[in-house]
Amino acid sequence: MKKATSLSELGFDADGASSGFFRPVADGGSTTPTSHRRRLTKISVIGAGNVGMAIAQTILTRDMADEIALVDALPDKLRGEMLDLQHAAAFLPRVRLVSDTDMSVTRGSDLAIVTAGARQIPGETRLNLLQRNVALFRKIVPPLAEHSPEALLLIVSNPVDVLTYVAWKLSGFPASRVIGSGTNLDSSRFRFLLAEHLQVNAQDVQAYMVGEHGDSSVAIWSSMSVAGMPVLKSLRESHERFDEEALEGIRRAVVDSAYEVISLKGYTSWAIGYSVASLAASLLRDQHRIHPVSVLASGFHGIPHDHQVFLSLPARLGRAGVLGVAEMELTEEEARRLRRSAKTLWDNCHLLDL
């Protein structure tokens, strides 16, 4: 039996419940209270698994929304997660928390974050997993777009680049309002490794991973800097082994770091929670910050214009979504690797026939 979670559900009338505690301030001789018309911010998180809840919890503690809606296919788990957050109300900013298995609860969202996705079955091919996720997105994205036609869509589900393309096609939204979390977290892992080696704060390291969020991601060594100073030349002068093989080893360590976390604790959650919350802040607070996120990359760095592929490039984010993409100066080798990454992704997208 469903348990009551509010006094209203316990039979108490909510109408006028505060009248015994508060008296309106007179307004120029009138006793009619002035209505407050500040526009409220609503964020919806679709998928209440470990990743979705880490994102919701981080957004909640950073006071980024007036309302957070949670959606999941498992009603008991969903309600339990919502209650667990609601019970912390006395320690958090005032936020309305709602949940439902029906997508209508997301109505009027400013930002919809999709983390739902099918897990790979042992022995299953990547294409079969992708097709199952496309089937899931067909159930999620169209009603999401219908209930919140002005929302920004932020896709976190993997494979994130291909599923961002799928969300773009299924939503009918302009590409500027459909964004994948991409290599934002990969770049943070990259910056962490470099910062630990150089003994500086990771926030002072400018270094990007671009391309696919996955095996074919590209580390942009040529533009890496600390405090505005190029780093690669200095590293090569001070380390005899800082050759191409060493650079590839570092890139591989970044790519494999997620697998290491999963092998140790079973899943990733906290880092992606902070990563996506940072994207949400840049978008909803119109911060114009640069993030390496999955965007429509046709025409960039030699990627064919007819390949409507989404992959990560440094993008300026604001309230309208993707405000622009940085024209990076890549070495010939970096550009070649990026195009190869784009081809890998486009080959997968092309098979979907969307």
Side-chain angles (χ1 to χ4, degrees), residues 117-118 127-142 158-159 162-163 165-167 170 348-349 351-354:
L127 181 58
N128 284 342
L129 173 63
L130 179 57
Q131 289 172 335
R132 286 201 296 127
N133 272 316
V134 170
L136 180 62
F137 266 48
R138 288 186 186 278
K139 298 177 182 178
I140 291 173
V141 175
N158 280 315
V162 178
L163 290 180
Y165 165 83
V166 171
L170 294 178
N348 282 314
C349 291
L351 292 172
L352 301 177
D353 195 28
L354 287 173

Side-chain angles (χ1 to χ4, degrees), residues 34-42 63-67 93-96 110 284-285:
T34 302
S35 60
H36 187 55
R37 298 189 182 278
R38 181 176 73 87
R39 191 184 183 285
L40 303 181
T41 299
K42 180 173 181 177
D63 194 15
M64 292 167 50
D66 301 288
E67 180 175 345
R94 185 175 186 269
V95 177
R96 182 170 184 253
D110 296 282
L284 295 179
R285 292 176 177 167

Side-chain angles (χ1 to χ4, degrees), residues 161-162 164-166 168-169 175 294-299 303-311 342 345-350 352 354:
D161 302 294
V162 178
T164 303
Y165 165 83
V166 171
W168 173 55
K169 286 292 189 179
S294 193
V295 297
L296 183 61
S298 305
I303 297 171
H305 287 274
D306 61 342
H307 287 189
Q308 295 178 320
V309 62
F310 279 71
L311 52 72
L345 291 168
W346 179 243
D347 287 345
N348 282 314
C349 291
H350 196 60
L352 301 177
L354 287 173

Side-chain angles (χ1 to χ4, degrees), residues 185-336:
L185 178 53
D186 305 67
S187 297
S188 176
R189 291 167 173 150
F190 189 29
R191 291 165 68 186
F192 164 75
L193 286 177
L194 296 169
E196 286 289 290
H197 179 72
L198 298 171
Q199 298 182 26
V200 297
N201 191 306
Q203 293 183 354
D204 294 321
V205 178
Q206 289 293 314
Y208 291 117
M209 301 284 290
V210 300
E212 179 194 16
H213 170 61
D215 292 343
S216 69
S217 62
V218 183
I220 306 302
W221 290 98
S222 60
S223 62
M224 184 179 68
S225 66
V226 173
M229 298 179 292
V231 173
L232 183 58
K233 181 180 178 182
S234 175
L235 287 173
R236 280 182 162 158
E237 289 175 350
S238 59
H239 295 74
E240 292 182 3
R241 287 195 63 256
F242 230 90
D243 53 13
E244 291 302 320
E245 183 179 349
L247 298 185
E248 175 58 20
I250 294 171
R251 188 201 73 86
R252 192 72 246 173
V254 172
V255 172
D256 290 342
S257 58
Y259 301 126
E260 181 182 10
V261 174
I262 292 170
S263 70
L264 292 170
K265 62 177 274 189
Y267 54 89
T268 61
S269 57
W270 300 121
I272 188 62
Y274 282 109
S275 173
V276 174
S278 74
L279 297 177
S282 292
L283 292 165
L284 295 179
R285 292 176 177 167
D286 201 33
Q287 292 182 341
H288 290 217
R289 289 190 61 195
I290 309 298
H291 293 271
V293 289
S294 193
V295 297
L296 183 61
S298 305
F300 284 95
H301 304 291
I303 297 171
H305 287 274
D306 61 342
H307 287 189
Q308 295 178 320
V309 62
F310 279 71
L311 52 72
S312 285
L313 295 170
R316 183 163 56 104
L317 302 184
R319 189 61 186 81
V322 178
L323 306 179
V325 177
E327 292 278 11
M328 295 184 298
E329 288 191 14
L330 303 180
T331 66
E332 185 175 328
E333 176 62 18
E334 288 167 346
R336 185 187 67 79

Side-chain angles (χ1 to χ4, degrees), residues 109-120:
S109 296
D110 296 282
L111 174 65
I113 302 170
V114 182
T115 72
R119 293 187 178 184
Q120 193 163 12

